[in-house]
Amino acid sequence: MEIKGSTNVVALIGHPVEHSFSPPMHNAAFNDLKMDYVYTAFDVSPNDLENAIKGAQALSIKGFNVTIPHKIEVMKYLSEIDEVAGLIGAVNTIDFKNLKGYNTDGIGAIRAIEEVTKVKNKNIVIAGAGGASRAISFYLAKYSADNITILNRNVEKADNLANDILKSNLIDDVKSDTISKVNDYLTDADILINTTPVGMHPNVDVDPIVSAEGMHEDLVVFDAVYNPNETVLLKEAIKAGAKPVYGIKMLLYQGAESFEIWTGKKAPVDVMENALTRTFGL
Ligand code: ATR
């Protein structure tokens, strides 16, 4: 990659950012398409967020990815918010052409799952009711899942998220319950999505949210946890003969969606995936 006077800049902002996998993934894509772009990362403290957005406009930066802790706060400084991002209430992508915010996390998960099965008309169980669950479940609703059941340790949080989704009028069948009842809901489920950190490095050998005995062969199991690549939940899925979807795919496709927003070009997904797996040492 040759950086020149004409090179366009896109970047990740967050706090911290130094362990991000996005720079190698996006730079591999720019290289592959011979685009005059570079992707870097800026550590921005919460007090500097507004200045960072104004500064980026002044510097003609083309796009940002936004990560923790700025995904919600940053919305105040944008001119436009994509409709689903507005419902989710968080933004992970900014296009400086129109100072518009998007959320590609949820669509990233949908594209990952849809490598294996469509979400349309499916019965879907989602574990967790935090930010990731919120992003994914609004997109499940948008892409016409038949029904969504949100299961969480703190049931009130699951109830609140379910109510928010119902209010969007994108879907009319959303339930919520305690995660301890996951086995009851899986009998009729087509897709299980884990958005909790259970099984995440360094606690990789914990009990999964559900074991193989609770799964069936036709189930698709997506784990948003990507470190380790094959989580304890995905190991159980494989044992049950169910189809695993790896968390790294969500990372890949949220990146591909952001790339497409900034550049208007189709993302070279294979090249981005190779860069990601190389970075992970897989
Ligand atoms: P994220 O942005 O990744 O979704 P988050 O907003 O902090 O992170 O949400 C984490 C989710 O994982 C929550 O739903 C949390 O459940 P509670 O609301 O009951 O805290 C869930 N979670 C975290 N640790 C968990 C555990 N050990 N077992 C089950 N659920 C867990």
Side-chain angles (χ1 to χ4, degrees):
M1 175 183 303
E2 195 191 343
I3 296 178
K4 300 176 284 195
S6 57
T7 302
N8 297 297
V9 177
V10 288
L12 170 69
I13 58 165
H15 185 65
V17 292
E18 65 266 26
H19 298 300
S20 169
F21 299 105
S22 293
M25 174 170 70
H26 285 284
N27 286 320
F30 292 139
N31 262 334
D32 183 66
L33 298 183
K34 299 187 171 45
M35 294 174 71
D36 190 13
Y37 276 74
V38 66
Y39 187 112
T40 185
F42 298 118
D43 192 321
V44 175
S45 74
N47 287 341
D48 286 328
L49 184 59
E50 183 174 10
N51 285 337
I53 298 298
K54 288 197 170 135
Q57 286 180 280
L59 296 170
S60 300
I61 283 178
K62 298 297 171 198
F64 272 165
N65 274 142
V66 183
T67 190
I68 292 165
H70 303 316
K71 288 186 180 190
I72 297 169
E73 282 298 301
V74 79
M75 295 174 78
K76 306 205 269 259
Y77 308 119
L78 305 180
S79 310
E80 256 186 274
I81 307 282
D82 165 77
E83 193 183 345
V84 187
L87 291 169
I88 294 166
V91 149
N92 80 329
T93 300
I94 298 171
D95 185 355
F96 282 98
K97 275 196 289 296
N98 40 11
L99 200 57
K100 182 168 178 178
Y102 300 82
N103 190 313
T104 71
D105 290 326
I107 183 74
I110 306 295
R111 280 179 72 174
I113 293 165
E114 291 206 334
E115 276 194 354
V116 176
T117 190
K118 292 277 173 215
V119 303
K120 188 170 178 184
N121 297 332
K122 296 291 162 58
N123 299 349
I124 301 176
V125 172
I126 180 158
S133 175
R134 202 176 163 84
I136 295 169
S137 43
F138 273 102
Y139 271 102
L140 291 171
K142 181 179 158 89
Y143 283 85
S144 307
D146 181 72
N147 64 75
I148 306 172
T149 302
I150 296 162
L151 304 177
N152 201 40
R153 237 177 7 187
N154 174 340
V155 183
E156 202 184 330
K157 257 170 80 177
D159 294 344
N160 290 341
L161 176 53
N163 284 333
D164 286 351
I165 298 165
L166 284 170
K167 271 189 264 162
S168 75
N169 286 324
L170 290 167
I171 182 170
D172 57 17
D173 189 354
V174 186
K175 295 186 266 302
S176 47
D177 209 332
T178 167
I179 195 162
S180 58
K181 291 208 197 139
V182 60
N183 282 298
D184 299 351
Y185 287 98
L186 283 187
T187 320
D188 292 330
D190 301 302
I191 302 172
L192 167 66
I193 299 173
N194 175 49
T195 69
T196 77
V198 176
M200 190 188 288
H201 178 82
N203 303 315
V204 297
D205 289 326
V206 291
D207 285 339
I209 52 163
V210 55
S211 58
E213 293 73 52
M215 301 178 188
H216 56 81
E217 273 182 10
D218 297 326
L219 191 67
V220 172
V221 180
F222 168 60
D223 198 337
V225 173
Y226 55 81
N227 183 10
N229 184 49
E230 197 163 284
T231 60
V232 62
L233 181 69
L234 295 182
K235 286 194 171 95
E236 293 296 308
I238 291 163
K239 218 189 285 175
K243 291 178 208 68
V245 178
Y246 293 80
I248 193 173
K249 294 277 187 180
M250 175 172 169
L251 217 55
L252 168 67
Y253 285 115
Q254 64 75 29
E257 286 283 326
S258 297
F259 183 97
E260 288 165 7
I261 288 167
W262 298 319
T263 66
K265 289 194 194 307
K266 199 165 158 23
V269 171
D270 291 352
V271 170
M272 293 170 84
E273 185 165 14
N274 281 338
L276 257 188
T277 50
R278 236 180 297 122
T279 311
F280 274 99
L282 295 174

mmCIF file of all heavy atoms in Angstrom, residues 128-133 152-154 157 179 195-198 209, ligand 1:
data_model
loop_
_atom_site.group_PDB
_atom_site.id
_atom_site.type_symbol
_atom_site.label_atom_id
_atom_site.label_comp_id
_atom_site.label_asym_id
_atom_site.label_seq_id
_atom_site.Cartn_x
_atom_site.Cartn_y
_atom_site.Cartn_z
ATOM 1 N N GLY A 128 -29.262 -13.191 25.945
ATOM 2 C CA GLY A 128 -28.663 -11.901 26.263
ATOM 3 C C GLY A 128 -29.592 -10.774 25.845
ATOM 4 O O GLY A 128 -30.397 -10.934 24.907
ATOM 5 N N ALA A 129 -29.511 -9.661 26.567
ATOM 6 C CA ALA A 129 -30.386 -8.517 26.262
ATOM 7 C C ALA A 129 -29.606 -7.215 26.334
ATOM 8 O O ALA A 129 -30.153 -6.164 26.654
ATOM 9 C CB ALA A 129 -31.564 -8.500 27.236
ATOM 10 N N GLY A 130 -28.306 -7.277 26.034
ATOM 11 C CA GLY A 130 -27.456 -6.081 26.044
ATOM 12 C C GLY A 130 -27.381 -5.454 24.655
ATOM 13 O O GLY A 130 -28.271 -5.648 23.812
ATOM 14 N N GLY A 131 -26.296 -4.719 24.427
ATOM 15 C CA GLY A 131 -26.141 -3.971 23.179
ATOM 16 C C GLY A 131 -26.124 -4.856 21.945
ATOM 17 O O GLY A 131 -26.762 -4.538 20.938
ATOM 18 N N ALA A 132 -25.427 -5.976 22.016
ATOM 19 C CA ALA A 132 -25.324 -6.856 20.843
ATOM 20 C C ALA A 132 -26.674 -7.488 20.536
ATOM 21 O O ALA A 132 -27.096 -7.554 19.376
ATOM 22 C CB ALA A 132 -24.272 -7.928 21.077
ATOM 23 N N SER A 133 -27.366 -7.918 21.579
ATOM 24 C CA SER A 133 -28.689 -8.518 21.388
ATOM 25 C C SER A 133 -29.637 -7.510 20.749
ATOM 26 O O SER A 133 -30.400 -7.833 19.828
ATOM 27 C CB SER A 133 -29.243 -8.974 22.741
ATOM 28 O OG SER A 133 -30.552 -9.435 22.599
ATOM 29 N N ASN A 152 -32.784 -13.813 29.116
ATOM 30 C CA ASN A 152 -31.704 -13.113 29.827
ATOM 31 C C ASN A 152 -31.729 -13.485 31.301
ATOM 32 O O ASN A 152 -32.763 -13.867 31.839
ATOM 33 C CB ASN A 152 -31.871 -11.592 29.657
ATOM 34 C CG ASN A 152 -30.583 -10.845 29.903
ATOM 35 O OD1 ASN A 152 -29.512 -11.314 29.475
ATOM 36 N ND2 ASN A 152 -30.635 -9.726 30.585
ATOM 37 N N ARG A 153 -30.542 -13.383 31.933
ATOM 38 C CA ARG A 153 -30.440 -13.576 33.384
ATOM 39 C C ARG A 153 -31.361 -12.580 34.078
ATOM 40 O O ARG A 153 -32.198 -12.932 34.865
ATOM 41 C CB ARG A 153 -28.979 -13.265 33.778
ATOM 42 C CG ARG A 153 -28.279 -14.341 34.468
ATOM 43 C CD ARG A 153 -26.855 -14.005 34.764
ATOM 44 N NE ARG A 153 -26.388 -12.650 34.494
ATOM 45 C CZ ARG A 153 -25.122 -12.282 34.583
ATOM 46 N NH1 ARG A 153 -24.211 -13.168 34.941
ATOM 47 N NH2 ARG A 153 -24.754 -11.045 34.330
ATOM 48 N N ASN A 154 -31.187 -11.307 33.735
ATOM 49 C CA ASN A 154 -32.038 -10.245 34.265
ATOM 50 C C ASN A 154 -33.262 -10.136 33.334
ATOM 51 O O ASN A 154 -33.184 -9.588 32.237
ATOM 52 C CB ASN A 154 -31.208 -8.955 34.269
ATOM 53 C CG ASN A 154 -32.024 -7.745 34.656
ATOM 54 O OD1 ASN A 154 -33.248 -7.757 34.579
ATOM 55 N ND2 ASN A 154 -31.339 -6.696 35.068
ATOM 56 N N LYS A 157 -34.618 -6.799 31.850
ATOM 57 C CA LYS A 157 -33.925 -6.259 30.662
ATOM 58 C C LYS A 157 -34.436 -6.918 29.381
ATOM 59 O O LYS A 157 -34.597 -6.268 28.344
ATOM 60 C CB LYS A 157 -32.415 -6.473 30.796
ATOM 61 C CG LYS A 157 -31.676 -5.198 31.198
ATOM 62 C CD LYS A 157 -30.247 -5.445 31.569
ATOM 63 C CE LYS A 157 -29.314 -5.599 30.403
ATOM 64 N NZ LYS A 157 -27.909 -5.777 30.847
ATOM 65 N N ILE A 179 -33.141 -16.864 31.120
ATOM 66 C CA ILE A 179 -32.246 -17.719 30.321
ATOM 67 C C ILE A 179 -32.214 -19.146 30.863
ATOM 68 O O ILE A 179 -31.877 -20.078 30.132
ATOM 69 C CB ILE A 179 -30.839 -17.093 30.231
ATOM 70 C CG1 ILE A 179 -30.039 -17.761 29.119
ATOM 71 C CG2 ILE A 179 -30.109 -17.164 31.562
ATOM 72 C CD1 ILE A 179 -28.862 -16.991 28.660
ATOM 73 N N THR A 195 -25.539 -13.906 22.562
ATOM 74 C CA THR A 195 -24.877 -12.591 22.623
ATOM 75 C C THR A 195 -24.284 -12.351 24.011
ATOM 76 O O THR A 195 -23.810 -11.248 24.276
ATOM 77 C CB THR A 195 -25.866 -11.447 22.310
ATOM 78 O OG1 THR A 195 -26.813 -11.337 23.383
ATOM 79 C CG2 THR A 195 -26.596 -11.666 21.004
ATOM 80 N N THR A 196 -24.321 -13.356 24.892
ATOM 81 C CA THR A 196 -23.700 -13.188 26.214
ATOM 82 C C THR A 196 -22.211 -13.491 26.092
ATOM 83 O O THR A 196 -21.784 -14.155 25.138
ATOM 84 C CB THR A 196 -24.313 -14.137 27.266
ATOM 85 O OG1 THR A 196 -23.783 -15.457 27.072
ATOM 86 C CG2 THR A 196 -25.825 -14.158 27.210
ATOM 87 N N PRO A 197 -21.415 -13.051 27.073
ATOM 88 C CA PRO A 197 -19.977 -13.363 26.994
ATOM 89 C C PRO A 197 -19.622 -14.753 27.520
ATOM 90 O O PRO A 197 -18.435 -15.070 27.645
ATOM 91 C CB PRO A 197 -19.344 -12.266 27.870
ATOM 92 C CG PRO A 197 -20.421 -11.869 28.826
ATOM 93 C CD PRO A 197 -21.737 -12.136 28.164
ATOM 94 N N VAL A 198 -20.611 -15.597 27.772
ATOM 95 C CA VAL A 198 -20.331 -16.934 28.315
ATOM 96 C C VAL A 198 -19.483 -17.735 27.309
ATOM 97 O O VAL A 198 -19.889 -17.885 26.151
ATOM 98 C CB VAL A 198 -21.645 -17.687 28.637
ATOM 99 C CG1 VAL A 198 -21.341 -19.113 29.098
ATOM 100 C CG2 VAL A 198 -22.448 -16.929 29.691
ATOM 101 N N ILE A 209 -24.409 -21.906 27.664
ATOM 102 C CA ILE A 209 -25.788 -21.524 28.009
ATOM 103 C C ILE A 209 -26.751 -22.692 27.764
ATOM 104 O O ILE A 209 -27.797 -22.763 28.379
ATOM 105 C CB ILE A 209 -26.261 -20.258 27.248
ATOM 106 C CG1 ILE A 209 -26.034 -20.416 25.747
ATOM 107 C CG2 ILE A 209 -25.591 -19.000 27.792
ATOM 108 C CD1 ILE A 209 -26.831 -19.433 24.926
HETATM 109 P P1 ATR B 1 -22.937 -6.548 24.665
HETATM 110 O O1 ATR B 1 -22.794 -5.151 24.171
HETATM 111 O O2 ATR B 1 -21.835 -7.465 24.228
HETATM 112 O O3 ATR B 1 -24.288 -7.098 24.377
HETATM 113 P P2 ATR B 1 -23.729 -5.986 27.379
HETATM 114 O O4 ATR B 1 -24.586 -4.878 26.873
HETATM 115 O O5 ATR B 1 -22.900 -5.769 28.588
HETATM 116 O O6 ATR B 1 -22.729 -6.473 26.257
HETATM 117 O O7 ATR B 1 -24.682 -7.261 27.609
HETATM 118 C C1 ATR B 1 -24.183 -8.465 28.091
HETATM 119 C C2 ATR B 1 -25.322 -9.492 28.124
HETATM 120 O O8 ATR B 1 -24.776 -10.747 28.516
HETATM 121 C C3 ATR B 1 -26.410 -9.167 29.130
HETATM 122 O O9 ATR B 1 -27.635 -9.615 28.608
HETATM 123 C C4 ATR B 1 -25.999 -10.003 30.359
HETATM 124 O O10 ATR B 1 -27.063 -10.413 31.169
HETATM 125 P P3 ATR B 1 -27.601 -9.515 32.401
HETATM 126 O O11 ATR B 1 -28.403 -8.424 31.770
HETATM 127 O O12 ATR B 1 -28.439 -10.446 33.185
HETATM 128 O O13 ATR B 1 -26.376 -9.030 33.119
HETATM 129 C C5 ATR B 1 -25.435 -11.234 29.673
HETATM 130 N N1 ATR B 1 -24.466 -11.932 30.525
HETATM 131 C C6 ATR B 1 -23.278 -11.482 30.965
HETATM 132 N N2 ATR B 1 -22.643 -12.427 31.690
HETATM 133 C C7 ATR B 1 -23.491 -13.498 31.714
HETATM 134 C C8 ATR B 1 -23.429 -14.808 32.314
HETATM 135 N N3 ATR B 1 -22.356 -15.195 33.005
HETATM 136 N N4 ATR B 1 -24.473 -15.653 32.135
HETATM 137 C C9 ATR B 1 -25.562 -15.267 31.422
HETATM 138 N N5 ATR B 1 -25.680 -14.043 30.824
HETATM 139 C C10 ATR B 1 -24.652 -13.186 30.981
#
